[in-house]
Amino acid sequence: MTRLRPPPAPLPLPRPAQVRALLAVLDEAVTAQQRADVAVASCGEPGPVCGQVARDCCDASSAFLHLRARLRKLPLTDPDLVQARAYAGRLLDYVQWMVHQSVNLAFTVHPDARTEAARLQLNGLGRPADDLRRLRDTLKAEE
């Protein structure tokens, strides 16, 4: 009986290719984040929140789920890029969580004064969105 050897591991991508791959995902994330920022801010507008906002949040959440999966699959080997991917992943997780929480506040089944006060504080994604843009811009400067 002959044993089959596993195929050799693929050679790691050169650093410039790794940077480009990471940048492609981050560029899409920043674009998606702009739409999510508007959707989250819309959840905090005074008065009833229209159903389109829920659909926009759902689309944004789905986009971030897919981006997070793509980010995890990137074949990165350079330690600083692996670290940047992990940081970007945490930021994407936050954005997705924020979108989810915003929808929960805007479309709660049991509204009360405390929930409404929290909802009215929503005005966008905040600093983590800025951090993701800065990470993207830092990598773009390296490219």
Side-chain angles (χ1 to χ4, degrees):
M1 175 196 270
T2 59
R3 288 192 171 181
L4 295 176
R5 286 188 243 192
L11 293 174
L13 293 174
R15 182 177 176 83
Q18 290 182 48
V19 171
R20 283 191 303 275
L22 182 54
L23 266 175
V25 175
L26 293 180
D27 279 337
E28 284 186 51
V30 168
T31 299
Q33 174 173 277
Q34 292 165 348
R35 292 187 302 271
D37 190 61
V38 170
V40 167
S42 295
C43 287
E45 291 293 321
V49 180
C50 73
Q52 182 61 47
V53 172
R55 289 185 288 280
D56 292 345
C57 286
C58 181
D59 291 345
S61 185
S62 178
F64 287 110
L65 180 67
H66 292 292
L67 286 165
R68 187 70 170 99
R70 282 183 49 210
L71 192 64
R72 271 190 231 111
K73 290 179 183 178
L74 289 176
L76 304 178
T77 55
D78 283 20
D80 63 320
L81 296 179
V82 170
Q83 185 178 12
R85 173 180 52 197
Y87 182 49
R90 289 190 303 274
L91 293 170
L92 291 178
D93 287 345
Y94 166 80
V95 170
Q96 190 172 19
W97 176 83
M98 187 66 181
V99 169
H100 179 78
Q101 294 304 316
S102 299
V103 169
N104 285 346
L105 288 171
F107 297 97
T108 184
V109 177
H110 304 289
D112 59 31
R114 191 171 145 220
T115 302
E116 183 64 7
R119 182 185 75 78
L120 292 172
Q121 295 296 311
L122 295 171
N123 62 1
L125 297 173
R127 190 179 124 210
D130 297 335
D131 291 347
L132 187 65
R133 274 191 301 276
R134 275 192 289 277
L135 176 61
R136 189 259 334 248
D137 293 346
T138 300
L139 284 170
K140 198 171 270 197
E142 178 183 323
E143 185 188 37

